[in-house]
């Protein structure tokens, strides 16, 4: 019953956006209300334990934007400083020179894979998207060809490689070894990112030419002819500063006593929000005042770049609301219930449940956590199950088929200026390739270890 309602909701949502030409924000909120009603959720919460439809929508939108609004705002300001100072152009030119124009999409995947290890998908995306736009405008290559390797690199690392929160949590649930999991995740993750990124990106990019969307491009790409660009080292340090701070926090998490003051301070500074705040303020100096821009100019840059983000934030927030209503309505529990009674191998079960919950609810993190919670007791009762590969299998399943109920889908659609159909052909296809290829490699690795 629940699954049928989810499928119906997705069809209605697609029709509202594509046929009725309704704004995605309104369409997502409307569909969320519809799902809540169809699943028999209370209109108004009878008690704090059972959320009503309105509560779910507010909580989903609030939880999604509580983190993302700050990250996107700070990240966009950092991106704007890189663009106006010529920093993005400097890095783009260096990458084009080193890799050559023909192989620049490979460079994007490598950069995304490395930057993605300590940062959230959204943080890495916001940090690196100015580079993609600059390279696309410098070379005239389709935005899809350069953008897909970027999101593939980030997505693989986000779903498979600890210290990402969901992967780390799954390590705890399955009682896996962190070091071994990271080693296996790199063995599986790199070939997966290559196939879903540069190879698929080049193939689909040659069939779909997209230019940088005008409104966003204006904010993130530099127009004025500047004689001297900032140094490569300085610009690279500015981009990598939040990455370094988050990496230090991850190391502190593993090596230091959690109760010590040093550990608390390092984890505070390495929180994505604080790390980005520090990096953004640093960029005002390193790429702003040091480049001859006065205070008024830097303030103007920060003000100008936030306009286009408002629309993106609202759509992502509404995606979070839709996602939360699906979760609160108990659809995930129905899938979990079915899975507990099936007779599958733990690896396939972990991948399959994560995939089903991901398709139904749109949340990679939730699907990974739920699948891990269901499969861990089943796996514990089956001797010879590899806990580290189970973490990767649930991670791979949680990435499959990202579509309209995932806030990430809307972020990619808006930034790349694509239609819903084009986003399904590029982003959704890429996520599915990652999921299937990663699982095939995990199964292969299972035979060897």
């Amino acid at each position: 019953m629940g699954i049928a309602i989810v499928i119906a909701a997705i069809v209605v949502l697609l029709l509202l956006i594509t046929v009725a030409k309704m704004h995605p924000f309104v369409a997502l909120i409307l569909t969320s209300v519809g799902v809540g009603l169809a699943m028999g959720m209370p209109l108004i919460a009878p008690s704090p334990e059972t959320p009503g439809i309105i509560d779910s929508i507010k909580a989903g939108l609030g939880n999604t934007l509580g983190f993302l609004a700050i990250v996107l705002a700070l990240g966009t300001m950092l991106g704007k400083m890189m663009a106006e100072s010529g920093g993005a152009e400097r890095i783009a030119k260096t990458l084009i020179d080193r890799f050559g124009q023909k192989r620049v999409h490979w460079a994007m995947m490598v950069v995304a894979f490395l930057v993605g290890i300590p940062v959230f998908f959204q943080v890495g995306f916001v940090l690196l998207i100015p580079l993609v736009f600059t390279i696309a405008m410098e070379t005239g290559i389709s935005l899809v060809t350069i953008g897909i390797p970027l999101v593939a690199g980030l997505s693989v690392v986000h779903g498979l490689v600890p210290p990402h929160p969901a992967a780390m949590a799954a390590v705890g649930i399955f009682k896996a070894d962190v070091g071994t999991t990271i080693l296996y995740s790199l063995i599986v993750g790199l070939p997966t990112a290559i196939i879903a990124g540069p190879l698929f990106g080049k193939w689909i990019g040659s069939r779909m030419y997209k230019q940088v969307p005008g409104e966003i491009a204006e904010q993130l790409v530099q127009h004025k002819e500047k004689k001297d660009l900032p140094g490569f080292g300085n610009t690279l340090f500015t981009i990598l500063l939040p990455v370094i701070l988050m990496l230090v926090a991850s190391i502190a998490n593993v090596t230091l006593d959690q109760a010590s003051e040093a550990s608390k301070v390092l984890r505070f500074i390495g929180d994505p929000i604080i790390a980005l705040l520090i990096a953004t303020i640093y960029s005002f100096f390193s790429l702003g005042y040091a480049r001859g821009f006065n205070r008024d100019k830097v303030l103007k840059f920060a003000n100008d770049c936030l306009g286009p983000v408002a629309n993106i934030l609202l759509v992502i927030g509404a995606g979070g609301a839709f996602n939360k209503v699906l979760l609160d309505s108990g659809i995930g529990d129905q899938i979990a219930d079915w899975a507990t009674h099936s007779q599958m191998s733990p690896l396939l079960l972990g991948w399959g449940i994560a995939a089903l919950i991901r398709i139904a609810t749109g949340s990679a993190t939730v699907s990974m956590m739920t699948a891990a919670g269901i499969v861990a007791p089943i796996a514990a009762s089956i001797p010879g199950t590899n806990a580290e590969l189970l973490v990767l299998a649930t991670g791979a399943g949680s990435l499959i088929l990202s579509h309209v109920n995932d806030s990430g889908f809307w972020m990619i659609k808006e930034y790349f200026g694509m239609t819903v159909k084009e986003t399904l052909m590029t982003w959704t296809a890429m996520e599915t390739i990652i999921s299937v290829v990663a699982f095939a490699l995990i199964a292969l690795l299972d035979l060897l270890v």
Side-chain angles (χ1 to χ4, degrees):
M1 174 65 180
I3 309 298
I5 291 173
V6 175
I7 294 167
I10 290 163
V11 171
V12 170
L13 179 61
L14 288 172
L15 290 174
L16 285 175
I17 293 167
T18 52
V19 180
K21 296 280 182 258
M22 191 179 276
H23 190 285
F25 176 73
V26 183
L28 280 160
I29 300 287
L30 193 60
T31 313
S32 306
V33 173
V35 169
L37 292 171
M39 286 297 288
M41 284 175 75
L43 299 178
I44 304 292
S47 70
E49 289 76 48
T50 39
I53 296 173
I54 314 274
D55 303 289
S56 270
I57 290 173
K58 287 198 286 199
L61 196 135
N63 293 344
T64 305
L65 294 188
F67 171 67
L68 263 186
I70 305 175
V71 164
L72 285 184
L74 290 170
T76 306
M77 288 184 195
L78 185 57
K80 178 73 168 168
M81 292 310 300
M82 277 177 54
E84 291 293 345
S85 65
E89 195 183 331
R90 159 62 69 217
I91 291 189
K93 278 197 158 71
T94 308
L95 287 177
I96 295 166
D97 291 347
R98 295 276 160 84
F99 279 80
Q101 194 165 326
K102 293 254 189 305
R103 289 190 299 276
V104 75
H105 54 297
W106 287 88
M108 282 323 299
M109 185 215 81
V110 174
V111 170
F113 202 91
L114 294 174
V115 167
I117 288 174
V119 308
F120 283 101
F121 176 86
Q122 296 93 335
V123 180
F125 180 78
V126 171
L127 282 177
L128 295 174
I129 196 70
L131 282 187
V132 173
F133 288 164
T134 311
I135 292 173
M137 292 177 89
E138 297 257 329
T139 59
I141 300 172
S142 169
L143 186 55
V144 175
T145 308
I146 300 164
I148 288 291
L150 169 85
V151 287
L154 289 172
S155 188
V156 165
V157 179
H158 180 75
L160 301 182
V161 185
H164 275 274
M168 264 321 263
V171 164
I173 295 171
F174 286 123
K175 299 184 173 51
D177 176 70
V178 179
T180 316
T181 308
I182 291 175
L183 177 67
Y184 288 167
S185 70
L186 295 175
I187 296 171
V188 170
L190 270 169
T192 304
I194 288 170
I195 293 169
L199 299 182
F200 172 68
K202 191 160 176 61
W203 182 83
I204 191 78
S206 65
R207 286 157 179 76
M208 185 188 299
Y209 186 79
K210 292 306 269 185
Q211 285 180 312
V212 181
E215 196 184 19
I216 299 178
E218 268 174 40
Q219 297 310 327
L220 294 181
V221 178
Q222 181 200 22
H223 300 293
K224 293 162 287 309
E225 282 303 316
K226 265 190 129 64
K227 299 289 175 288
D228 57 328
L229 296 173
F232 180 71
N234 174 30
T235 313
L236 193 64
F237 178 71
T238 307
I239 294 188
L240 290 182
L241 182 56
V243 181
I244 294 164
L245 292 173
M246 288 182 226
L247 199 54
V248 168
S250 299
I251 295 165
N253 223 353
V254 181
T255 54
L256 295 177
D257 172 22
Q258 300 286 309
S260 70
E261 282 306 310
S263 164
K264 287 176 189 166
V265 169
L266 289 173
R267 283 184 299 158
F268 175 75
I269 295 172
D271 180 89
I273 289 170
I274 302 297
L276 264 173
L277 179 66
I278 292 169
T280 304
I281 293 169
Y282 175 75
S283 77
F284 291 161
F285 289 91
S286 69
L287 300 175
Y289 309 135
R291 307 277 309 138
F293 294 118
N294 61 20
R295 282 175 302 190
D296 294 334
K297 203 79 182 139
V298 170
L299 175 63
K300 184 181 184 305
F301 294 155
N303 279 333
D304 288 352
C305 68
L306 292 179
V309 178
N311 190 45
I312 295 172
L313 273 179
L314 284 173
V315 173
I316 293 172
F322 184 37
N323 182 311
K324 182 85 169 110
V325 170
L326 288 172
L327 293 174
D328 286 347
S329 66
I331 285 165
D333 301 337
Q334 292 182 14
I335 295 172
D337 197 45
W338 164 83
T340 319
H341 299 103
S342 72
Q343 303 290 317
M344 280 197 276
S345 88
L347 280 182
L348 187 59
L349 194 63
W351 182 82
I353 296 170
L356 282 174
I357 296 173
R358 158 69 158 188
I359 294 167
T361 66
S363 169
T365 306
V366 170
S367 56
M368 193 167 179
M369 301 309 302
T370 315
I374 297 163
V375 178
I378 302 173
S381 64
I382 301 172
T385 309
N386 186 315
E388 289 76 24
L389 290 179
L390 259 178
V391 173
L392 301 189
T394 45
S398 77
L399 294 176
I400 203 165
L401 211 78
S402 158
H403 58 99
V404 291
N405 59 4
D406 174 22
S407 55
F409 176 92
W410 298 103
M411 183 159 87
I412 302 297
K413 174 190 175 297
E414 297 293 326
Y415 268 99
F416 282 45
M418 296 193 282
T419 62
V420 169
K421 182 187 170 192
E422 287 169 338
T423 316
L424 289 167
M425 285 166 62
T426 50
W427 162 255
T428 306
M430 179 210 79
E431 286 280 79
T432 306
I433 291 168
I434 289 175
S435 182
V436 174
V437 170
F439 184 68
L441 291 169
I442 291 160
L444 199 64
L445 200 55
D446 190 40
L447 298 175
L448 302 174
V449 301

